[in-house]
Amino acid sequence: MEAAFVGDWILDAENPPLQTLYAQLEKPSNIERLVFSTARLGEWDSLLMTELIRLIEHGARQNISVDITTLPAGIQGLLSLVYAVPERAETRQAPLHSRWQADLGNAALRFSKDAEAFIVFIGELAQSAFDAVIGKARFRSIDFWLYIRECGPSAFPIITLISVLIGLILAFVGSVQLTLFGAEIYIADMVGLGMTRDMGGLMAAIIMTGRSSSTFAAELGSMQVNSEIDALKSMGFEPMTFLVLPRMLALVLMLPLLCLYADFMGMLGGALVTVSFFDMAFVQYFDRTVAAVHIKDIAMGVVKCSVYGLLIALSGCQRGMQCGRSASAVGEATTSAVVTGIVFIVVADALMTMICKRLGL
């Protein structure tokens, strides 16, 4: 039997369907040999190769000999490369049709693996911190002060902008209900308590997740790709102490200070709205803020931010240390660090808020 290929057989061209040919080959007949005619064949690319391989495999299943000697020399050479090493039947896998139970189980296994890796990372970091305290481990002080600058003063512009806007938003949202009762003066109470107890530290932590956690993951991931971490190990340096510990200490120390700065800027933003739109003197706003905000409210936000700083540093450094050996792995580690850090912050904020409520703080 002779099968003719006519016209261009390229991906963008319209080609005659081969269902008729397959149907003829499947019918009980005396067809023992299949020959190709390419006299009217135009341009061709991988589409023709794919169809030829399908025909050859289909013919093999029907015990039909497929003659490729009439094909162009280029096609014959490619086919010879395809069949140079016979495929072992046991290596071909059947297509998997996963069910939702399997997807749920795989997700649970991934979560368990990530949780185990996170616990191990915390243990190694705690051991490195203890070694540094007793003098058995050291890191470069210049690196520590560099991270202090990156996690502190360098973040002031974005912290200022976001905190002032958050204060403005809180003041406007609160004024919608408070003006109904002529209680605009209590806008200062709401803004002050909202910023010091929760919003100031939360927004500072989210900003630092985008800045510092992603930076830590990208830096450590790039070092992993370039085998710099392996080089440090070969020279006798402990990566957890030399790379992770100064980053964590810098962020844990600077984030509470950023929280205090964010609280002040947020209350300043609330003052701008109250003084400008609700006929209240700045002295009145200041007096109400001082009367409403207590030391325990400020301390609560600072303590929360210390926890946030630890979680942000852990998420960024862990993802960076676990990074693969490719450029795409660095991008995945950076994305994962930011997402993990934000999830940790929100969950920790919810837990600490419920604990403080339970304790009456």
Side-chain angles (χ1 to χ4, degrees), residues 136-138 228-242:
K136 290 185 178 181
R138 299 178 183 273
E228 295 178 34
I229 295 179
D230 296 334
L232 287 175
K233 291 179 181 179
S234 65
M235 290 187 293
F237 293 97
E238 178 59 40
M240 295 297 295
T241 304
F242 197 76

PDB file of all heavy atoms in Angstrom, residues 136-138 228-242:
ATOM      1  N   LYS A 136      32.060  30.198  70.573  1.00  0.00           N
ATOM      2  CA  LYS A 136      32.587  29.151  69.705  1.00  0.00           C
ATOM      3  C   LYS A 136      32.368  29.447  68.222  1.00  0.00           C
ATOM      4  O   LYS A 136      32.975  28.793  67.373  1.00  0.00           O
ATOM      5  CB  LYS A 136      31.932  27.810  70.049  1.00  0.00           C
ATOM      6  CG  LYS A 136      32.355  27.231  71.392  1.00  0.00           C
ATOM      7  CD  LYS A 136      31.743  25.864  71.586  1.00  0.00           C
ATOM      8  CE  LYS A 136      32.184  25.243  72.907  1.00  0.00           C
ATOM      9  NZ  LYS A 136      31.598  23.891  73.101  1.00  0.00           N
ATOM     10  N   ALA A 137      31.501  30.354  67.929  1.00  0.00           N
ATOM     11  CA  ALA A 137      31.208  30.676  66.524  1.00  0.00           C
ATOM     12  C   ALA A 137      31.263  32.188  66.355  1.00  0.00           C
ATOM     13  O   ALA A 137      30.858  32.945  67.238  1.00  0.00           O
ATOM     14  CB  ALA A 137      29.839  30.143  66.125  1.00  0.00           C
ATOM     15  N   ARG A 138      31.741  32.624  65.202  1.00  0.00           N
ATOM     16  CA  ARG A 138      31.878  34.046  64.938  1.00  0.00           C
ATOM     17  C   ARG A 138      31.398  34.353  63.515  1.00  0.00           C
ATOM     18  O   ARG A 138      31.404  33.495  62.651  1.00  0.00           O
ATOM     19  CB  ARG A 138      33.330  34.500  65.080  1.00  0.00           C
ATOM     20  CG  ARG A 138      33.918  34.295  66.483  1.00  0.00           C
ATOM     21  CD  ARG A 138      35.374  34.711  66.531  1.00  0.00           C
ATOM     22  NE  ARG A 138      35.957  34.461  67.837  1.00  0.00           N
ATOM     23  CZ  ARG A 138      35.919  35.316  68.853  1.00  0.00           C
ATOM     24  NH1 ARG A 138      35.314  36.484  68.681  1.00  0.00           N
ATOM     25  NH2 ARG A 138      36.480  35.022  70.010  1.00  0.00           N
ATOM     26  N   GLU A 228      29.023  28.822  46.335  1.00  0.00           N
ATOM     27  CA  GLU A 228      29.760  29.592  47.329  1.00  0.00           C
ATOM     28  C   GLU A 228      29.550  29.024  48.728  1.00  0.00           C
ATOM     29  O   GLU A 228      30.465  29.077  49.559  1.00  0.00           O
ATOM     30  CB  GLU A 228      29.324  31.055  47.270  1.00  0.00           C
ATOM     31  CG  GLU A 228      29.671  31.749  45.955  1.00  0.00           C
ATOM     32  CD  GLU A 228      29.177  33.178  45.925  1.00  0.00           C
ATOM     33  OE1 GLU A 228      29.178  33.824  46.991  1.00  0.00           O
ATOM     34  OE2 GLU A 228      28.792  33.659  44.849  1.00  0.00           O
ATOM     35  N   ILE A 229      28.346  28.511  48.996  1.00  0.00           N
ATOM     36  CA  ILE A 229      28.089  27.916  50.310  1.00  0.00           C
ATOM     37  C   ILE A 229      28.924  26.657  50.486  1.00  0.00           C
ATOM     38  O   ILE A 229      29.482  26.406  51.572  1.00  0.00           O
ATOM     39  CB  ILE A 229      26.586  27.626  50.473  1.00  0.00           C
ATOM     40  CG1 ILE A 229      25.796  28.943  50.465  1.00  0.00           C
ATOM     41  CG2 ILE A 229      26.319  26.855  51.761  1.00  0.00           C
ATOM     42  CD1 ILE A 229      24.308  28.775  50.603  1.00  0.00           C
ATOM     43  N   ASP A 230      29.052  25.864  49.429  1.00  0.00           N
ATOM     44  CA  ASP A 230      29.919  24.687  49.507  1.00  0.00           C
ATOM     45  C   ASP A 230      31.373  25.082  49.736  1.00  0.00           C
ATOM     46  O   ASP A 230      32.107  24.402  50.462  1.00  0.00           O
ATOM     47  CB  ASP A 230      29.797  23.866  48.218  1.00  0.00           C
ATOM     48  CG  ASP A 230      28.403  23.293  48.020  1.00  0.00           C
ATOM     49  OD1 ASP A 230      27.705  23.099  49.033  1.00  0.00           O
ATOM     50  OD2 ASP A 230      28.016  23.048  46.865  1.00  0.00           O
ATOM     51  N   ALA A 231      31.772  26.188  49.124  1.00  0.00           N
ATOM     52  CA  ALA A 231      33.142  26.661  49.321  1.00  0.00           C
ATOM     53  C   ALA A 231      33.366  27.083  50.776  1.00  0.00           C
ATOM     54  O   ALA A 231      34.432  26.819  51.353  1.00  0.00           O
ATOM     55  CB  ALA A 231      33.439  27.819  48.383  1.00  0.00           C
ATOM     56  N   LEU A 232      32.366  27.738  51.382  1.00  0.00           N
ATOM     57  CA  LEU A 232      32.491  28.121  52.789  1.00  0.00           C
ATOM     58  C   LEU A 232      32.621  26.892  53.682  1.00  0.00           C
ATOM     59  O   LEU A 232      33.430  26.870  54.625  1.00  0.00           O
ATOM     60  CB  LEU A 232      31.278  28.946  53.214  1.00  0.00           C
ATOM     61  CG  LEU A 232      31.197  30.384  52.674  1.00  0.00           C
ATOM     62  CD1 LEU A 232      29.874  31.018  53.075  1.00  0.00           C
ATOM     63  CD2 LEU A 232      32.351  31.217  53.204  1.00  0.00           C
ATOM     64  N   LYS A 233      31.838  25.857  53.379  1.00  0.00           N
ATOM     65  CA  LYS A 233      31.934  24.632  54.166  1.00  0.00           C
ATOM     66  C   LYS A 233      33.311  23.995  54.037  1.00  0.00           C
ATOM     67  O   LYS A 233      33.884  23.515  55.020  1.00  0.00           O
ATOM     68  CB  LYS A 233      30.856  23.644  53.718  1.00  0.00           C
ATOM     69  CG  LYS A 233      29.436  24.062  54.057  1.00  0.00           C
ATOM     70  CD  LYS A 233      28.434  23.029  53.563  1.00  0.00           C
ATOM     71  CE  LYS A 233      27.009  23.430  53.873  1.00  0.00           C
ATOM     72  NZ  LYS A 233      26.026  22.425  53.360  1.00  0.00           N
ATOM     73  N   SER A 234      33.852  24.007  52.819  1.00  0.00           N
ATOM     74  CA  SER A 234      35.168  23.397  52.608  1.00  0.00           C
ATOM     75  C   SER A 234      36.276  24.164  53.318  1.00  0.00           C
ATOM     76  O   SER A 234      37.312  23.604  53.670  1.00  0.00           O
ATOM     77  CB  SER A 234      35.470  23.313  51.107  1.00  0.00           C
ATOM     78  OG  SER A 234      35.594  24.608  50.551  1.00  0.00           O
ATOM     79  N   MET A 235      36.049  25.471  53.558  1.00  0.00           N
ATOM     80  CA  MET A 235      37.045  26.275  54.268  1.00  0.00           C
ATOM     81  C   MET A 235      36.836  26.263  55.778  1.00  0.00           C
ATOM     82  O   MET A 235      37.546  26.953  56.509  1.00  0.00           O
ATOM     83  CB  MET A 235      37.006  27.723  53.756  1.00  0.00           C
ATOM     84  CG  MET A 235      37.539  27.877  52.336  1.00  0.00           C
ATOM     85  SD  MET A 235      37.674  29.607  51.813  1.00  0.00           S
ATOM     86  CE  MET A 235      35.957  30.082  51.752  1.00  0.00           C
ATOM     87  N   GLY A 236      35.840  25.511  56.245  1.00  0.00           N
ATOM     88  CA  GLY A 236      35.637  25.378  57.679  1.00  0.00           C
ATOM     89  C   GLY A 236      34.656  26.349  58.283  1.00  0.00           C
ATOM     90  O   GLY A 236      34.519  26.400  59.510  1.00  0.00           O
ATOM     91  N   PHE A 237      33.936  27.141  57.461  1.00  0.00           N
ATOM     92  CA  PHE A 237      32.937  28.073  57.971  1.00  0.00           C
ATOM     93  C   PHE A 237      31.582  27.377  58.050  1.00  0.00           C
ATOM     94  O   PHE A 237      31.198  26.628  57.137  1.00  0.00           O
ATOM     95  CB  PHE A 237      32.831  29.307  57.082  1.00  0.00           C
ATOM     96  CG  PHE A 237      34.052  30.178  57.104  1.00  0.00           C
ATOM     97  CD1 PHE A 237      35.014  30.059  56.118  1.00  0.00           C
ATOM     98  CD2 PHE A 237      34.237  31.098  58.116  1.00  0.00           C
ATOM     99  CE1 PHE A 237      36.145  30.857  56.130  1.00  0.00           C
ATOM    100  CE2 PHE A 237      35.367  31.904  58.139  1.00  0.00           C
ATOM    101  CZ  PHE A 237      36.325  31.783  57.144  1.00  0.00           C
ATOM    102  N   GLU A 238      30.847  27.661  59.119  1.00  0.00           N
ATOM    103  CA  GLU A 238      29.503  27.123  59.266  1.00  0.00           C
ATOM    104  C   GLU A 238      28.522  28.090  58.607  1.00  0.00           C
ATOM    105  O   GLU A 238      28.377  29.245  59.049  1.00  0.00           O
ATOM    106  CB  GLU A 238      29.148  26.960  60.747  1.00  0.00           C
ATOM    107  CG  GLU A 238      27.748  26.445  60.997  1.00  0.00           C
ATOM    108  CD  GLU A 238      27.500  25.092  60.359  1.00  0.00           C
ATOM    109  OE1 GLU A 238      28.411  24.233  60.404  1.00  0.00           O
ATOM    110  OE2 GLU A 238      26.404  24.901  59.803  1.00  0.00           O
ATOM    111  N   PRO A 239      27.820  27.691  57.542  1.00  0.00           N
ATOM    112  CA  PRO A 239      26.924  28.625  56.837  1.00  0.00           C
ATOM    113  C   PRO A 239      25.832  29.211  57.723  1.00  0.00           C
ATOM    114  O   PRO A 239      25.468  30.382  57.570  1.00  0.00           O
ATOM    115  CB  PRO A 239      26.332  27.757  55.712  1.00  0.00           C
ATOM    116  CG  PRO A 239      27.320  26.663  55.506  1.00  0.00           C
ATOM    117  CD  PRO A 239      27.905  26.389  56.852  1.00  0.00           C
ATOM    118  N   MET A 240      25.297  28.422  58.646  1.00  0.00           N
ATOM    119  CA  MET A 240      24.248  28.941  59.518  1.00  0.00           C
ATOM    120  C   MET A 240      24.760  30.099  60.359  1.00  0.00           C
ATOM    121  O   MET A 240      24.051  31.093  60.570  1.00  0.00           O
ATOM    122  CB  MET A 240      23.725  27.824  60.416  1.00  0.00           C
ATOM    123  CG  MET A 240      23.017  26.696  59.678  1.00  0.00           C
ATOM    124  SD  MET A 240      21.525  27.238  58.831  1.00  0.00           S
ATOM    125  CE  MET A 240      20.530  27.711  60.222  1.00  0.00           C
ATOM    126  N   THR A 241      25.973  29.994  60.860  1.00  0.00           N
ATOM    127  CA  THR A 241      26.549  31.049  61.692  1.00  0.00           C
ATOM    128  C   THR A 241      27.050  32.213  60.855  1.00  0.00           C
ATOM    129  O   THR A 241      26.840  33.386  61.206  1.00  0.00           O
ATOM    130  CB  THR A 241      27.696  30.487  62.544  1.00  0.00           C
ATOM    131  OG1 THR A 241      27.206  29.390  63.325  1.00  0.00           O
ATOM    132  CG2 THR A 241      28.265  31.558  63.454  1.00  0.00           C
ATOM    133  N   PHE A 242      27.689  31.913  59.752  1.00  0.00           N
ATOM    134  CA  PHE A 242      28.354  32.942  58.958  1.00  0.00           C
ATOM    135  C   PHE A 242      27.375  33.714  58.079  1.00  0.00           C
ATOM    136  O   PHE A 242      27.585  34.907  57.824  1.00  0.00           O
ATOM    137  CB  PHE A 242      29.431  32.292  58.087  1.00  0.00           C
ATOM    138  CG  PHE A 242      30.437  33.264  57.544  1.00  0.00           C
ATOM    139  CD1 PHE A 242      31.432  33.780  58.349  1.00  0.00           C
ATOM    140  CD2 PHE A 242      30.381  33.670  56.227  1.00  0.00           C
ATOM    141  CE1 PHE A 242      32.359  34.678  57.853  1.00  0.00           C
ATOM    142  CE2 PHE A 242      31.300  34.554  55.716  1.00  0.00           C
ATOM    143  CZ  PHE A 242      32.293  35.069  56.532  1.00  0.00           C
TER     144      PHE A 242
END
